[in-house]
Amino acid sequence: MNDPRPDTTLYEAVGGIDALRRLSHTFYRGVLADPLLAPVFAGFTPTHIERVAVWLAEVFGGPTGYTDELGGHQALLRVHLGLAITEEQRLRWMELMAEAVRAELPEDELLRRRVLEYFDWGTRIAEDVSASPAGTDLGEPGPTPRWGWEGLK
């Protein structure tokens, strides 16, 4: 199936790294104030926002900084080990992310839908991985996933 917008990546369509930083800031402001989610982020530091923006940039077709400098897919999965994320927490995470997407990303319904589809897919993986104790050997999860106009590439 052809991309509906083959001339741009999701990274370009959202507005690049600056837009992803704004999205992350807005989202984590809500998360850290949320009684259900704040405990999951007890170890949160401001560098988390930048790492999330760099991860999203790579996933959405931008620079490969997360793989090149921050450990790639394996590192991202490892930070979720032992968090024991519940489905209720995952759904609340999605609600807050949808609010941040509406606040920070362009008013393009297809773009917003594709971005939120990625988050739905990714949070399901995070919830699953989080059930395993810290230090669990995850094997080789493969390269950082790429998400485009048609979903997972």
Side-chain angles (χ1 to χ4, degrees):
M1 193 175 220
N2 291 331
D3 285 353
R5 301 182 188 179
D7 56 328
T8 62
T9 63
L10 290 179
Y11 174 75
E12 293 163 330
V14 299
I17 193 69
D18 290 337
L20 294 172
R21 285 181 181 126
R22 286 191 309 274
L23 178 69
S24 295
H25 274 282
T26 298
F27 171 70
Y28 283 106
R29 191 168 36 251
V31 164
L32 295 174
D34 188 90
L36 182 62
L37 294 179
V40 177
F41 293 89
F44 180 87
T45 66
T47 60
H48 187 82
I49 290 171
E50 180 65 16
R51 288 175 179 241
V52 169
V54 171
W55 169 262
L56 294 175
E58 185 167 341
V59 167
F60 293 149
T64 58
Y66 205 93
T67 294
D68 297 343
E69 300 167 23
L70 298 172
H73 197 194
Q74 178 78 249
L76 182 82
L77 292 174
R78 270 196 314 266
V79 301
H80 292 89
L81 287 169
L83 292 178
I85 298 167
T86 66
E87 179 64 3
E88 181 184 19
Q89 289 169 323
R90 188 190 79 78
L91 291 173
R92 181 64 181 142
W93 193 103
M94 285 297 301
E95 289 172 8
L96 293 177
M97 182 53 79
E99 291 174 15
V101 163
R102 283 191 299 274
E104 300 298 344
L105 296 188
E107 291 188 30
D108 176 328
E109 286 309 310
L110 178 61
L111 173 64
R112 290 177 176 186
R113 186 168 57 248
R114 292 299 179 255
V115 167
L116 288 172
E117 287 168 353
Y118 163 72
F119 287 123
D120 184 59
W121 177 81
T123 58
R124 290 174 191 279
I125 294 169
E127 181 182 356
D128 183 57
V129 168
S130 77
S132 296
T136 298
D137 182 357
L138 297 170
E140 176 48 53
T144 298
R146 299 296 190 277
W147 201 265
W149 292 105
E150 293 296 325
L152 184 63
K153 291 183 172 192

